[in-house]
Amino acid sequence: MRASELFVRTLREAPAEAEAPSHKLLVRAGYIRKIMAGVYALLPLGIRTLQRVQRIVEEEMNAAGAQEVRLPAVLPSEPWKQSGRWAAYGDEMFRLKDRSGRDLSLGPTHEEFFAEIVKGEFSSYRDLPVNLYQVQWKYRDELRPRGGVIRAREFLMKDAYTFDRDVDGLRVAYQNMVEAYKKVFTRCGLTFRMVEADPGLIGGDVNHEFMAPADVGEDLFVFCPNCDYAANVEAASTRRPEESPQDDPEALQLVHTPNRAGIQDVVELLGRPADEMLKCMLYDVGGTPTAVLVPGDREINESKLARVLAPAPVRMFTDNDFAAYGLPKGYVGPQSLPEEVTIVADHSVRARSNWVSGAGQPDYHATGVNAARDFTVDRWEDVSRVREGDPCPRCGSPLQVSRAIEVGHCFQLGTRYSVAMKATFVDEDGTEQPYVMGSYGIGVSRIIAAVAEQWNDDAGLKWPKVLAPFDAVVIPTNMDHQAVVDAAERLYGSLRKRGVDVVIDDRDASAGVKFADADLIGYPLQVVIGKRGIESGNVDLKARATGERTQAPLDAAPEAAIGILESVP
Ligand code: ATP
Ligand code: MG
């Protein structure tokens, strides 16, 4: 490919809205162009890299025994209505009507339709297991599209679905896909971690996310540096603390704390640390008022809380709720609650005594508040947000926290969709059984951004060679020097002959512009031919990922280039 013909114009400035380094670089280097919020065009460089990711995904899916199919992006509403997701999906689903007024959607995911497809073809336990996948554009009207292709409203996903006879079969299928996922992300050059994910409100749903650490990621996960425990913070737990000996309970006392409703305000006024304060948050749990207790320096994890209290819906108290129960917002403590309020305490509340909490009347707090003596905990639960340094639930080592981009998600669905869709098979004993399903997603277009986040520097992108749009660029530095141009053309020709996917930067531009563009676009190898090199009979080679520079004699340049390409990541 000739740079003079390549459909790309690099930009000096990134768009003002771009914050993520990958977003800035993919736009500046001419891989993607915005059409509207969360919707991007892929230019030649972008489509090449996307196709390379896609090929890796397809190869590993095929090797794992998954069969490729293609379901439509335009979908009828009836199966969604049957599963309940026509309503449950809410505004994230793009909906439209056809000319006869029939409800349609653009597929945000495809569980219902795979269940329908399999049900239509197979009907016996002898047909199972089945593993199908597609690489398909997905449509989600995301509340906050972000980071270019990281969170887009149209994005390329690989989604796979397994159908088994029983849960044991599902477990085998799941493990098989997990192994395939690890191969995909490793081959893409990603640093990643497989983490336990939020098991959802129904509970017990085994699912794992694949997280690529990146500062711009929207997910947080904890991991243990000592054992293999890793979990999304939404799902993470910590070791339960020892119960503190309550040998010296202080007397309950009121302190005047006018206009000090927040924990931090009281900490400042009383000069006591936040972990001596008892945070008492009120929720409406399916109509029952419920107080949730955590130490003042901790946060409640609302995903865990919702799971603990499921199936009742959990809603934080509004001002009206406080008024209805006659409770002073900001000054509530567990010892001052009416009988009807259920008290749920996080395990961390066991670790100390003599708490400071709201006194149950405006402008007052209480000190020397003790569980058992002053209030009764109805349920001890794990409802606090795990943070850096908390002990690992498995081995006790201090946990670490990392920000990450979710690149994949594996889910043991069970029979949720097959029951709803009446997708059944006839088992060996003649009974009708719902398929036991798994679903598995990879954000194919998101991977481009995740890799770009992990592989860049100030000058631009530094693709691992498996994902780079081209392997190498040949840069003649002086286009008005015929010997330079001739040597560059010869080298370009011989690299192409040897199967190197190479670009020659034959533009009438300065050497500085060509170097800057080569770094920005991220060709894994740059081969530079200049006037001085022609005189001395040498070319300069630079490996983009490592920055390593070498020289080679002009006539041995193709071999040197191929040697470097073999050795770079
Ligand atoms: P997220 O929590 O990031 O919204 P999700 O849980 O909604 O992700 P899944 O429904 O499990 O995602 O989709 C499978 C994969 O598709 C995700 O792991 C992610 O890599 C990718 N993905 C999801 N939403 C988007 C999006 N808006 N843009 C790009 N990729 C996405
Ligand atoms: Mg989502």
Side-chain angles (χ1 to χ4, degrees):
M1 175 54 85
R2 295 183 171 277
S4 58
E5 294 166 8
L6 185 60
F7 185 66
V8 58
R9 282 284 175 277
T10 56
L11 307 175
R12 223 171 277 179
E13 300 288 332
E17 88 238 15
E19 286 166 9
S22 62
H23 184 188
K24 290 184 187 166
L25 291 172
L26 289 169
V27 173
R28 283 189 51 218
Y31 284 71
I32 60 172
R33 288 290 178 259
K34 181 172 157 181
I35 299 294
M36 62 174 164
V39 178
Y40 284 82
L42 292 156
L43 303 190
L45 296 175
I47 202 81
R48 278 177 164 259
T49 294
L50 184 76
Q51 284 167 346
R52 290 187 175 208
V53 177
Q54 187 172 342
R55 200 165 312 136
I56 290 172
V57 171
E58 288 170 353
E59 282 173 12
E60 293 302 337
M61 285 300 107
N62 294 338
Q67 297 173 60
E68 184 158 9
V69 297
R70 177 67 58 87
L71 268 58
V74 179
L75 299 165
S77 61
E78 289 76 13
W80 295 117
K81 289 175 179 160
Q82 202 174 334
S83 72
R85 287 211 282 185
W86 185 255
Y89 233 105
D91 288 341
E92 209 172 292
M93 188 188 276
F94 278 106
R95 296 159 208 259
L96 59 158
K97 286 190 193 293
D98 69 10
R99 62 175 73 209
S100 65
R102 186 177 172 202
D103 282 328
L104 305 176
S105 75
L106 297 179
T109 180
H110 280 84
E111 281 79 5
E112 287 82 349
F113 299 88
F114 273 79
E116 292 264 272
I117 283 279
V118 171
K119 161 186 165 183
E121 307 298 318
F122 281 179
S123 56
S124 161
Y125 72 96
R126 287 195 197 86
D127 299 325
L128 302 177
V130 190
N131 185 345
L132 301 175
Y133 80 97
Q134 64 174 348
V135 180
Q136 167 67 294
W137 292 93
K138 295 283 194 269
Y139 298 85
R140 294 183 184 179
D141 197 0
E142 297 277 357
L143 185 59
R144 281 182 211 88
R146 230 194 111 247
V149 295
I150 295 180
R151 183 169 299 285
R153 299 198 293 168
E154 178 188 80
F155 61 97
L156 193 61
M157 194 203 284
K158 185 288 302 173
D159 46 327
Y161 304 85
T162 58
F163 296 81
D164 277 275
R165 197 178 158 185
D166 52 27
V167 172
D168 285 346
L170 169 61
R171 291 212 180 100
V172 172
Y174 190 82
Q175 196 51 38
N176 178 44
M177 292 299 269
V178 159
E179 294 308 323
Y181 271 40
K182 290 179 181 167
K183 288 181 190 150
V184 167
F185 300 126
T186 303
R187 283 181 65 186
C188 288
L190 278 172
T191 300
F192 68 95
R193 203 72 204 228
M194 174 170 144
V195 311
E196 292 172 19
D198 185 343
L201 284 189
I202 296 158
D205 294 334
V206 175
N207 73 116
H208 291 87
E209 290 160 341
F210 289 81
M211 294 291 192
D215 292 341
V216 301
E218 290 180 282
D219 282 274
L220 286 174
F221 72 91
V222 304
F223 63 98
C224 176
N226 185 50
C227 73
D228 63 358
Y229 180 72
N232 192 312
V233 286
E234 301 303 340
S237 52
T238 178
R239 184 167 276 192
R240 290 180 192 179
E242 304 283 310
E243 203 155 340
S244 84
Q246 294 208 352
D247 48 2
D248 211 8
E250 294 164 13
L252 198 65
Q253 271 184 334
L254 285 195
V255 281
H256 194 208
T257 53
N259 301 316
R260 303 268 174 168
I263 297 263
Q264 204 44 45
D265 301 332
V266 186
V267 162
E268 278 163 23
L269 181 72
L270 302 184
R272 295 175 72 156
D275 63 354
E276 292 183 14
M277 306 278 306
L278 190 54
K279 203 184 268 184
C280 180
M281 304 289 283
L282 282 147
Y283 293 86
D284 176 290
V285 180
T288 305
T290 303
V292 180
L293 309 181
V294 292
D297 62 337
R298 287 197 171 266
E299 300 298 325
I300 293 169
N301 179 335
E302 300 215 338
S303 310
K304 291 204 287 189
L305 183 66
R307 230 178 298 138
V308 160
L309 300 173
V314 178
R315 172 176 68 71
M316 213 187 255
F317 254 30
T318 60
D319 288 347
N320 285 342
D321 294 315
F322 279 102
Y325 288 97
L327 293 169
K329 190 176 173 186
Y331 294 95
V332 178
Q335 77 290 357
S336 68
L337 292 170
E339 197 63 28
E340 64 200 300
V341 179
T342 303
I343 298 184
V344 176
D346 185 66
H347 294 299
S348 55
V349 173
R350 288 182 203 272
R352 68 173 317 124
S353 46
N354 296 322
W355 296 97
V356 179
S357 77
Q361 60 190 86
D363 295 340
Y364 282 91
H365 278 74
T367 62
V369 178
N370 283 284
R373 186 191 71 186
D374 304 321
F375 63 93
T376 306
V377 173
D378 297 297
R379 295 175 63 177
W380 289 98
E381 299 285 358
D382 173 13
V383 293
S384 69
R385 204 175 163 81
V386 171
R387 58 184 186 198
E388 183 111 12
D390 278 346
C392 170
R394 299 221 179 112
C395 75
S397 301
L399 290 168
Q400 293 179 13
V401 177
S402 175
R403 198 161 267 290
I405 299 172
E406 178 195 321
V407 288
H409 198 172
C410 292
F411 217 110
Q412 295 189 14
L413 293 174
T415 57
R416 190 185 320 167
Y417 292 96
S418 44
V419 166
M421 305 307 296
K422 299 197 169 53
T424 58
F425 63 96
V426 179
D427 211 347
E428 204 168 358
D429 61 6
T431 58
E432 293 249 333
Q433 298 293 339
Y435 294 112
V436 182
M437 289 175 61
S439 83
Y440 315 83
I442 289 182
V444 177
S445 48
R446 183 181 278 187
I447 285 181
I448 297 178
V451 174
E453 282 299 330
Q454 292 185 351
W455 295 71
N456 73 70
D457 61 16
D458 289 344
L461 297 157
K462 303 201 293 192
W463 297 112
K465 66 174 177 268
V466 285
L467 296 194
F470 293 95
D471 300 330
V473 59
V474 172
I475 303 177
T477 56
N478 317 75
M479 293 305 289
D480 49 5
H481 195 289
Q482 199 54 42
V484 167
V485 174
D486 290 346
E489 290 287 349
R490 271 197 307 277
L491 179 56
Y492 170 62
S494 75
L495 284 172
R496 272 165 49 110
K497 233 181 267 154
R498 282 162 220 240
V500 178
D501 205 353
V502 59
V503 170
I504 182 166
D505 197 343
D506 58 344
R507 294 176 301 166
D508 197 8
S510 73
V513 165
K514 292 183 182 183
F515 294 152
D517 277 355
D519 279 349
L520 179 61
I521 289 169
Y523 301 101
L525 176 66
Q526 302 170 13
V527 188
V528 181
I529 302 183
K531 246 189 306 195
R532 232 177 316 139
I534 290 290
E535 280 153 21
S536 63
N538 282 319
V539 299
D540 294 303
L541 303 121
K542 179 174 128 181
R544 177 70 179 97
T546 59
E548 206 173 310
R549 290 167 193 274
T550 45
Q551 276 202 336
L554 198 47
D555 51 6
E559 287 68 33
I562 288 165
I564 292 173
L565 277 175
E566 277 166 5
S567 72
V568 296

